[in-house]
């Protein structure tokens, strides 16, 4: 009932009631521990930290477990695994394996997703379910590996190198479920870090839970807190894609309708401008009709005047026409052989002319003209 135990903290978990549950371990053994709320040293507890704990041994019948009931915790120093992890992180960081500038973007619509994990683990099942639900167009390519134990690190590196050599994957997920620091330790091994660094294909690390960090997380192109989150990270959400396509379609339709409406308005404006710039066709038609009436009247008047002038000329011509004079009884008698006028006057005057002619000389004047009065 009065024990001091030195060990490295692992599997630290705080309950909602404020109690702390953790494991104290060394290179050969581990011991479940409980620190109730209000006991001293809870703030000191941290995974990988070496502590000195005081308490008593207890047997918990419902679970059949032996626990170390801690009532006080004092710092003892860094644990061996934590120290080794920090040394490896510092060396790899100095070599540039953690540089953000070398990390590549993930493909937006991957066709093949490579997966490095255990074929029997829950992580593989979670990844399949999420990819099938979110983006069934993507095909999963599993490269099976151990994820726990002494041979896990070389197996993980080999599985990753197989996918990289195959080259058909667009992105690779390296995943396993949660566990203690020792369970996740293969993902802290240098051989795994260098395999991720050397991959020509972007790599997403999905190891453990939200609070678990491994060297694989620092080297990978993207880190996901869980295997499920890694699957969600590498494939798009089909429902969101459908909504996006529908929104784009609706936006395109609205844009087309706005363009058509704008075109109609522009055509209407141009039509009004053309109509305002052109003369009034109705007025022009009325003006043309008026001009036609005026021209018609003028033409008729001129035609009437011309006809009157023609009639006057015709009347004057008829008056001066010798034939018309002859038709009225005037006579011109000419000698048949010579054409000499022998009589000019009205027929009643012929006898008087003959009588007078005998009493005169042969040459006489009549009507202002000289007439040859021979036989």
């Amino acid at each position: 009932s009065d024990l001091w135990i030195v060990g490295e903290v692992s599997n630290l978990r705080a309950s909602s009631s404020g109690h702390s549950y953790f494991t104290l371990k060394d290179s050969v053994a581990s011991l479940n521990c409980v620190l109730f709320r209000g006991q001293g040293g809870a703030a000191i507890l941290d995974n990988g930290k070496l502590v000195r704990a005081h308490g008593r041994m207890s047997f918990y019948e419902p679970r059949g477990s032996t626990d170390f009931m801690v009532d006080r915790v004092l710092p003892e120093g860094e644990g061996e695994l934590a120290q080794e992890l920090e040394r490896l992180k510092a060396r790899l960081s100095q070599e540039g394996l953690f540089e953000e500038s070398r990390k590549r973007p993930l493909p937006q619509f991957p066709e093949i997703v490579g997966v490095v994990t255990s074929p029997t683990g829950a992580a593989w099942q979670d990844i399949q379910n999420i990819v099938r639900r979110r983006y069934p167009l993507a095909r999963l390519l599993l490269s099976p590996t151990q994820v726990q134990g002494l041979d896990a690190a070389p197996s993980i590196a080999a599985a990753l190198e197989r996918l990289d050599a195959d080259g058909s994957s667009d992105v690779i997920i390296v995943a396993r479920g949660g566990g203690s620091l020792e369970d996740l330790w293969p993902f802290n091994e240098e051989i795994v870090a260098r395999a991720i660094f050397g991959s020509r294909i972007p790599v997403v690390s999905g190891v453990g839970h939200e609070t678990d960090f491994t060297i694989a997380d620092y080297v990978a192109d993207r880190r996901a807190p869980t295997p499920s989150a890694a699957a969600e990270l590498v494939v798009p959400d089909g429902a969101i894609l459908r909504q996006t396509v529908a929104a784009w379609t609706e936006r395109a339709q609205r844009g087309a309708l706005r363009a058509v409406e704008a075109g109609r308005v522009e055509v209407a404006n141009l039509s009004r401008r053309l109509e305002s710039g052109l003369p009034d066709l109705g007025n022009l038609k009325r003006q043309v009709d008026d001009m036609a009436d005026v021209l018609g009247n003028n033409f008729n008047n001129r035609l009437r005047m011309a006809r009157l002038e023609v009639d006057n000329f015709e009347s004057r011509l008829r008056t001066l026409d010798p034939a018309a004079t002859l038709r009225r009884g005037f006579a011109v008698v000419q000698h048949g052989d010579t054409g000499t006028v022998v009589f000019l006057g009205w027929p009643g005057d012929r006898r008087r002319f003959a009588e007078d002619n005998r009493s005169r000389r042969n040459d006489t004047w009549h009507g202002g003209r000289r007439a040859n009065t021979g036989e």
Side-chain angles (χ1 to χ4, degrees), residues 103-367:
K103 297 187 177 183
R104 298 154 293 189
L106 303 183
Q108 189 173 8
F109 302 105
E111 297 181 6
I112 299 178
V113 178
V115 180
V116 175
T117 192
S118 171
T120 60
W124 171 235
Q125 298 301 323
D126 292 342
I127 291 173
Q128 291 183 88
N129 293 334
I130 290 174
V131 171
R132 190 181 302 117
R133 172 175 54 83
R134 286 173 59 92
Y135 193 66
L137 295 177
R139 183 166 64 90
L140 294 176
L141 179 59
L142 175 64
S143 184
T145 180
Q146 299 180 31
V147 293
Q148 186 172 337
L150 296 178
D151 298 329
S155 179
I156 295 170
L160 184 58
E161 290 169 355
R162 284 195 302 269
L163 288 177
D164 188 55
D166 177 73
S168 61
S169 299
D170 299 304
V171 64
I172 297 174
I173 297 175
V174 177
R176 73 145 285 163
S180 66
L181 178 62
E182 294 78 14
D183 295 336
L184 303 181
W185 190 259
F187 296 91
N188 288 319
E189 295 283 357
E190 182 176 356
I191 187 174
V192 174
R194 295 199 180 277
I196 295 174
F197 180 79
S199 174
R200 296 169 298 174
I201 301 171
V203 177
V204 174
S205 172
V207 178
H209 297 302
E210 179 68 39
T211 57
D212 298 321
F213 280 87
T214 64
I215 289 180
D217 295 328
Y218 295 104
V219 183
D221 295 283
R222 292 288 295 274
R223 185 243 177 193
T226 63
S228 299
E232 294 177 350
L233 189 61
V234 299
V235 295
D237 190 340
I240 295 178
L241 286 178
R242 287 189 290 271
Q243 293 174 2
T244 302
V245 171
W248 286 349
T249 302
E250 184 179 357
R251 187 181 304 171
Q253 291 174 347
R254 289 199 303 266
L257 292 176
R258 285 196 297 269
V260 171
E261 185 61 26
R264 289 176 179 173
V265 173
E266 184 66 20
V267 169
N269 291 336
L270 290 175
S271 178
R272 285 194 293 269
R273 290 171 59 186
L274 288 174
E275 290 177 357
S276 62
L278 292 174
D280 190 342
L281 295 180
N283 289 335
L284 285 179
K285 288 180 180 179
R286 287 192 291 270
Q287 292 177 11
V288 170
D289 291 339
D290 294 342
M291 293 176 64
D293 292 340
V294 171
L295 291 175
N297 292 333
N298 291 338
F299 178 77
N300 291 333
N301 292 333
R302 291 194 177 190
L303 182 60
R304 187 166 49 254
M305 295 297 296
R307 285 177 179 174
L308 290 175
E309 292 181 2
V310 170
D311 291 343
N312 291 334
F313 282 130
E314 184 178 2
S315 177
R316 291 171 62 187
L317 287 174
R318 281 197 301 269
T319 302
L320 299 176
D321 185 6
T325 304
L326 293 175
R327 283 193 297 273
R328 292 196 304 273
F330 195 83
V332 177
V333 180
Q334 295 174 311
H335 194 281
D337 294 331
T338 63
T340 303
V341 177
V342 295
F343 174 76
L344 179 63
W346 296 102
D349 298 334
R350 183 176 180 182
R351 182 178 300 171
R352 187 175 59 257
F353 174 75
E355 292 174 356
D356 293 341
N357 192 34
R358 284 193 291 270
S359 63
R360 297 179 184 176
R361 55 186 178 88
N362 290 335
D363 291 334
T364 185
W365 293 86
H366 179 78

